[in-house]
């Protein structure tokens, strides 16, 4: 059978992609049930955190990086009416409260400060010193409070057999969750959801860009962005909702973009970058798809599977080989910045060999 014939692609999707989707649906259902129980208890203990809802279709709080690696956002409650900060000043405090001789560095492109005065309406609990310092809401402090609630709630909900808190460095909360299939690592991130307002740092769409359409751009921007508590002083920008909306209806013109992405993801998980903690995740692949869609905006560019798929593989190889993948929304941010160069080189080597002899591999 020709490696990329219509029958070969259909067979690959039937034998590989569809079983993966069924497995993931099962894993997401099990993990979201456990996280819902946990966060419901946390919300009862502390009104500032909302329970992660259950969802039968798409749960916007859950991002699957790999079958064994989930990121789940926990919405923060009681911070309403976000506005841009008008003043710029130096900060001389540490997370522990001691004074510093030199100011804290300014945030990188993917990060920003968050002040209590940036909200028109706030719960009084957000003014407590357990999460603030000199008018700033400190992500490390929020994560510390949240972690304590997680540890106590695991016991209260009798989930000690299913959930273990993974000891780590820094303000990131990670859990090992037992499912009926295998253990899944879950990162729980408290987030401030900024709705109906686009991020000032995200200068998108780019000048002269023809993908997506103007109507789609307005729709994507209306979903806003997130501020995630996953570093010491600065809140990390997140575009989970916007990226989901970009993926929805991506083939309205009858193209094969999503199919190419699904096969790329499957090959990545099975052949090029397997394992429980892959250096290249589904989020990286989605970003590569978006960049390729922007470069090739026409319907006719996405009609032939082999040509479209190999275009994505070459783009992936280039990014991994150069250790550089630009964030789709935030200029100047390398998504491989903190990734092991040796691990990326190993994946690049595999991709290089594949490009010499491409096909749909098991």
């Amino acid at each position: 059978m020709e490696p990329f014939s219509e029958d070969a692609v259909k067979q690959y999707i039937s034998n590989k992609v569809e079983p993966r989707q069924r497995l993931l649906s099962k894993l997401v259902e099990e993990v979201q049930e456990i996280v819902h129980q946990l966060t419901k208890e946390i919300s009862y203990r502390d009104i500032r955190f909302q329970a992660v809802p259950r969802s039968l279709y798409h749960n916007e709080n859950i991002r699957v990086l790999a079958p064994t690696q989930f990121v789940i956002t926990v919405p923060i409650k009681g911070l309403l009416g976000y506005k841009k900060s008008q003043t710029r000043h130096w900060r001389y405090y540490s997370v522990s409260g001691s004074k510093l001789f030199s100011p804290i560095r300014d945030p990188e492109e993917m990060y920003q400060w968050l002040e209590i005065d940036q909200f028109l309406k706030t719960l009084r609990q957000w003014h407590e010193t357990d999460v603030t310092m000199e008018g700033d809401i400190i992500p490390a402090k929020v994560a510390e409070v949240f972690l304590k609630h997680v540890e106590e709630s695991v016991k209260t909900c009798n989930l000690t057999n299913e959930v273990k808190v993974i000891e780590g460095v820094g303000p990131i909360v990670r859990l090992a969750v037992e499912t009926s299939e295998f253990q899944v690592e879950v990162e729980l991130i408290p987030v401030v959801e900024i709705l109906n307002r686009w991020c000032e740092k995200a200068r998108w769409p780019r000048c002269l860009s023809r993908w997506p359409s103007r109507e789609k751009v307005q729709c994507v921007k209306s979903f806003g962005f997130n501020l995630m508590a996953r570093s010491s002083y600065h809140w990390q920008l997140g575009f989970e909702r916007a990226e989901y909306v970009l993926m929805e209806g991506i083939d309205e013109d009858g193209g094969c973009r999503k199919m190419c992405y699904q096969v790329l993801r499957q090959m990545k998980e099975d052949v090029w970058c397997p394992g429980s903690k892959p250096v290249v995740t589904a989020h990286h692949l989605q970003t590569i798809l978006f960049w390729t869609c922007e470069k090739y905006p026409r319907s006719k560019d996405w009609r032939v599977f082999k040509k479209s798929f190999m275009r994505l593989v070459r783009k992936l190889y280039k990014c991994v080989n150069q250790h550089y993948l630009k964030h789709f929304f935030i200029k100047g941010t390398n998504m491989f910045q903190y990734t092991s160069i040796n691990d990326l080189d190993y994946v690049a080597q595999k991709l290089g060999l594949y490009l010499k002899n491409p096909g749909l591999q098991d």
Side-chain angles (χ1 to χ4, degrees), residues 225-254:
F225 63 103
N226 286 337
L227 293 170
M228 305 190 288
R230 60 189 311 269
S231 74
S232 298
Y233 299 99
H234 310 130
W235 291 76
Q236 185 178 335
L237 304 171
F239 299 90
E240 291 76 11
R241 289 183 302 280
E243 287 164 349
Y244 176 73
V245 176
L246 259 185
M247 279 297 278
E248 281 294 278
I250 199 167
D251 289 320
E252 283 169 347
D253 59 4

Side-chain angles (χ1 to χ4, degrees), residues 19 21 60 72 77 90 109 115 123 142 152 159 161 170 205 209 230 239 244 256 260 272 289 326 328 331 333 355:
Q21 288 173 333
E60 68 174 38
I72 302 183
K77 197 173 167 185
W90 300 112
E109 278 301 307
E115 300 165 28
L123 281 173
V142 173
E152 289 163 8
L159 289 169
N161 291 331
S209 171
R230 60 189 311 269
F239 299 90
Y244 176 73
C256 61
C260 290
W272 306 322
L289 174 65
K326 281 190 293 186
F328 190 65
K331 189 182 176 185
T333 297
L355 285 167

Side-chain angles (χ1 to χ4, degrees), residues 3-203:
F4 289 103
S5 68
E6 193 175 333
D7 286 344
V9 174
K10 277 182 182 172
Q11 193 176 325
Y12 186 83
I13 286 169
S14 176
N15 294 344
K16 288 288 194 174
V17 175
E18 288 172 359
R20 178 199 185 274
Q21 288 173 333
R22 288 193 291 273
L23 170 67
L24 268 186
S25 295
K26 187 181 177 189
L27 292 173
V28 167
E29 199 176 317
E30 291 180 30
V31 170
Q32 83 168 347
E33 182 55 41
I34 288 170
V35 171
H36 173 73
Q37 281 184 56
L38 258 185
T39 52
K40 191 177 174 185
E41 172 63 25
I42 291 168
S43 183
Y44 176 74
R45 290 166 174 270
D46 191 331
I47 196 173
R48 292 174 292 192
F49 301 103
Q50 286 185 51
V52 172
R54 296 186 186 96
S55 175
L56 293 172
Y57 172 52
H58 166 72
N59 192 326
E60 68 174 38
N61 297 93
I62 300 177
R63 169 170 262 165
V64 177
L65 298 180
T68 52
Q69 203 176 16
F70 289 17
V71 172
I72 302 183
T73 54
V74 180
I76 278 171
K77 197 173 167 185
L79 294 171
L80 298 170
Y82 173 84
K83 59 184 188 290
K84 187 181 176 183
S85 175
Q86 299 302 315
T87 56
R88 186 169 181 264
H89 59 274
W90 300 112
R91 275 88 168 172
Y92 289 89
Y93 57 74
S94 69
V95 170
S96 62
S98 58
K99 287 285 179 186
L100 303 174
F101 291 110
S102 57
I104 304 165
R105 60 178 173 75
D106 278 342
E108 294 173 12
E109 278 301 307
M110 274 296 288
Y111 296 82
Q112 69 167 63
W113 296 104
L114 190 62
E115 300 165 28
I116 198 80
D117 290 344
Q118 284 180 250
F119 297 93
L120 298 174
K121 197 174 177 185
T122 56
L123 281 173
R124 61 174 177 77
Q125 286 89 339
W126 283 110
H127 297 261
E128 303 284 343
T129 54
D130 64 343
V131 290
T132 61
M133 188 84 70
E134 296 180 13
D136 292 329
I137 305 173
I138 309 298
K141 282 175 160 280
V142 173
E144 188 183 350
V145 169
F146 180 67
L147 176 60
K148 282 179 189 166
H149 289 318
V150 169
E151 289 170 338
E152 289 163 8
S153 300
V154 167
K155 295 171 191 164
T156 308
C157 297
N158 296 317
L159 289 169
T160 47
N161 291 331
E162 292 90 351
V163 178
K164 299 279 185 295
V165 177
I166 300 170
E167 295 290 326
V169 181
I172 292 173
V173 179
R174 286 195 178 95
L175 309 176
V177 178
E178 297 295 338
T179 71
S180 58
E181 298 292 329
F182 42 71
Q183 192 180 84
V184 175
E185 184 176 301
V186 176
E187 183 181 341
L188 284 181
I189 313 174
V191 298
V192 182
E193 295 178 333
I194 312 295
L195 304 170
N196 298 313
R197 184 190 176 108
W198 192 239
C199 173
E200 290 92 352
K201 284 190 171 186
R203 292 178 174 39

